[in-house]
Amino acid sequence: MTELQMGLIGLGATAVIGVLGYNKWQEYRHRKLAEAVLKPQHDDVLLADAPAKVAPAVRSEPELRVELPAALAERREPVLADGLPAQAAGEPAASEPALRSSAVADDDDEILELPAGSVPGSLLDPRLEFIVAMELVDPVPASQIIHSQYDALRRVSKPVHWVTFNERNREWERIAPDSEAPVRRLRVGLQLVDRMGPVSEADLANFTGAIHALADELLAVADMPATRLLDQAAEIDRFCAAVDLEIGVNLVSRGTPFSGTKIRALAEAAGMTLGDDGSFIRRDDDGRTQFTLQNFETTRFSAESIRNVTTHGLTFVLDVPRVDHGERVFQQMVELAKRFAETLQGTLVDDNRQPLNDVQLDHIRREFIGKPQATMASYGLPAGSAQALRLFS
């Protein structure tokens, strides 16, 4: 036998040993996962006659059961056809079986695990986010997970949303950055679009790299649905551009400037509060912004300086995609602007400083608020919804 033949035999044996070793490592890793999520139930000591007389229980090995959907158990990836897909919100596009794990409520008590169900669209929506699912072998503090890839995810220009399943209240919820709550079921969503435009290829590369590194650190498998994300993001961005409107009604003085003290008194009497951005904000009963009142000039209002401020104009602004029942709220804004005009001796005008009458205001209400919001509703993304607030932020 020649030296060449001996060398080839040696290389072949080394490759076989390497493959066998890698398979053993994978088998050990998955066996650890199965043991963690399928722990046998403990004996109920309350049912025993006496500790000394209890015979050792013989238990069969737990059986891993995965229930497939009633339809074909195939992955259904999200697609865009005739607009955004009307798809169940929350989970990654595929129908995935829920892994069952044991969540510890107290030191001595265990909660019986139930299926987690789908993540609500108010938290994550596969039409708007690229969602990665992870099931952890052992629970990890939430803050540790979020800060693990903080530096890498800082290079991503779009928001990243972290969601976990709370084993105590049986609900999906957002993860607070400083939370120490244990996380076993994790969903991470990369928002595909915001008001700065669609996600870029570099953003996707940075995000997926960070998530793979996180999965390796947590000894978890990252389930990333294979979708045409750039095309999906471009389609959503076109939809957003068609409905992303801010409607302003200006109030200008007829000569005497408006004083800051009068402006503040009128605003607060109308239930408005001064925000950190220098504008007065009108909110609904749930704390969501309905419209704002801004200085028509460049100076911003502030609690410290408003007593000494004077201005020749104010602007009432309604952010169309972010306001529920926009037509009704616009009408309320117009009525308030008229009261300001009467008290401050001003005139309602458009951006060209042309006077606005009721006919023109009604046209604005129907064409620039009612129609865009109807379009949003037809896409399944109603104005003022949690999804709309994420998109138009």
Side-chain angles (χ1 to χ4, degrees):
M1 184 175 294
T2 65
E3 292 183 359
L4 176 60
Q5 290 173 326
M6 292 292 292
L8 291 175
I9 292 173
L11 287 174
T14 301
V16 170
I17 293 172
V19 171
L20 290 175
Y22 178 77
N23 288 340
K24 286 293 184 182
W25 178 81
Q26 288 282 52
E27 180 181 346
Y28 169 78
R29 181 175 176 179
H30 286 86
R31 185 169 62 252
K32 286 275 293 180
L33 176 61
E35 290 173 354
V37 300
L38 291 171
K39 294 178 182 177
Q41 296 295 326
H42 298 296
D43 293 332
D44 193 339
V45 297
L46 297 178
L47 298 179
D49 294 331
K53 296 180 181 180
V54 176
V58 179
R59 286 191 287 232
S60 59
E61 290 298 323
E63 180 182 359
L64 178 62
R65 295 185 179 180
V66 176
E67 297 181 0
L68 297 178
L72 292 178
E74 61 181 0
R75 295 181 67 89
R76 297 178 61 82
E77 304 298 347
V79 296
L80 288 167
D82 299 327
L84 298 178
Q87 182 175 350
E91 287 288 72
S95 298
E96 56 178 7
L99 288 178
R100 298 175 179 267
S101 61
S102 176
V104 178
D106 298 304
D107 292 340
D108 300 322
D109 300 326
E110 289 190 355
I111 300 174
L112 180 61
E113 189 71 24
L114 298 173
S118 298
V119 179
S122 58
L123 296 177
L124 289 175
D125 190 327
R127 299 171 298 175
L128 314 180
E129 282 101 11
F130 173 42
I131 305 173
V132 180
M134 279 193 231
E135 306 288 343
L136 281 61
V137 175
D138 298 311
V140 176
S143 60
Q144 178 181 332
I145 292 175
I146 291 181
H147 291 99
S148 169
Q149 297 299 315
Y150 176 77
D151 290 336
L153 291 174
R154 282 174 53 187
R155 298 193 295 269
V156 178
S157 66
K158 300 304 175 193
V160 176
H161 306 293
W162 303 82
V163 175
T164 185
F165 186 70
N166 188 319
E167 301 287 352
R168 292 178 179 272
N169 60 22
R170 316 300 309 165
E171 292 181 354
W172 290 95
E173 57 188 28
R174 290 203 182 281
I175 299 177
D178 57 349
S179 172
E180 295 301 318
V183 172
R184 192 186 295 273
R185 293 174 174 176
L186 177 66
R187 302 293 181 267
V188 188
L190 171 65
Q191 190 168 311
L192 298 178
V193 174
D194 59 16
R195 275 181 159 159
M196 300 301 294
V199 70
S200 68
E201 190 170 356
D203 285 333
L204 289 174
N206 289 331
F207 175 76
T208 55
I211 295 303
H212 279 305
L214 177 63
D216 289 343
E217 179 180 331
L218 300 176
L219 294 179
V221 177
D223 182 9
M224 297 187 182
T227 58
R228 292 165 34 180
L229 292 171
L230 294 178
D231 292 340
Q232 182 175 338
E235 179 69 18
I236 300 169
D237 186 58
R238 286 191 290 271
F239 157 74
C240 290
V243 299
D244 192 4
L245 301 170
E246 282 190 338
I247 302 300
V249 174
N250 302 310
L251 172 62
V252 297
S253 69
R254 298 172 187 164
T256 303
F258 308 145
S259 71
T261 53
K262 283 188 176 181
I263 294 169
R264 181 172 189 171
L266 289 170
E268 291 180 348
M272 306 183 80
T273 57
L274 184 57
D276 295 335
D277 63 350
S279 62
F280 288 92
I281 304 170
R282 172 73 173 267
R283 292 184 171 89
D284 62 16
D285 294 338
D286 296 323
R288 298 173 300 183
T289 298
Q290 292 185 307
F291 55 85
T292 61
L293 172 62
Q294 306 169 3
N295 193 346
F296 187 76
E297 299 175 358
T298 56
T299 303
R300 293 186 176 185
F301 298 129
S302 70
E304 295 78 17
S305 63
I306 196 166
R307 292 182 179 179
N308 302 317
V309 168
T310 59
T311 181
H312 287 85
L314 301 170
T315 302
F316 293 81
V317 180
L318 185 149
D319 196 341
V320 175
R322 292 178 62 87
V323 178
D324 189 19
H325 302 295
E327 290 190 78
R328 184 178 66 193
V329 175
F330 177 76
Q331 193 62 38
Q332 295 171 354
M333 186 180 80
V334 168
E335 293 300 324
L336 183 60
K338 289 179 178 179
R339 292 203 298 271
F340 269 65
E342 182 179 353
T343 304
L344 298 174
Q345 298 299 304
T347 302
L348 298 183
V349 300
D350 60 18
D351 289 341
N352 297 317
R353 298 220 174 192
Q354 297 301 310
L356 285 170
N357 57 39
D358 289 341
V359 174
Q360 293 168 318
L361 291 168
D362 187 62
H363 175 76
I364 292 172
R365 177 182 60 80
R366 289 183 286 104
E367 295 296 321
F368 299 103
I369 300 176
K371 288 187 176 180
Q373 291 201 344
T375 299
M376 295 183 68
S378 69
Y379 271 77
L381 297 172
S385 64
Q387 292 96 319
L389 295 179
R390 295 202 299 274
L391 277 179
F392 299 95
S393 59

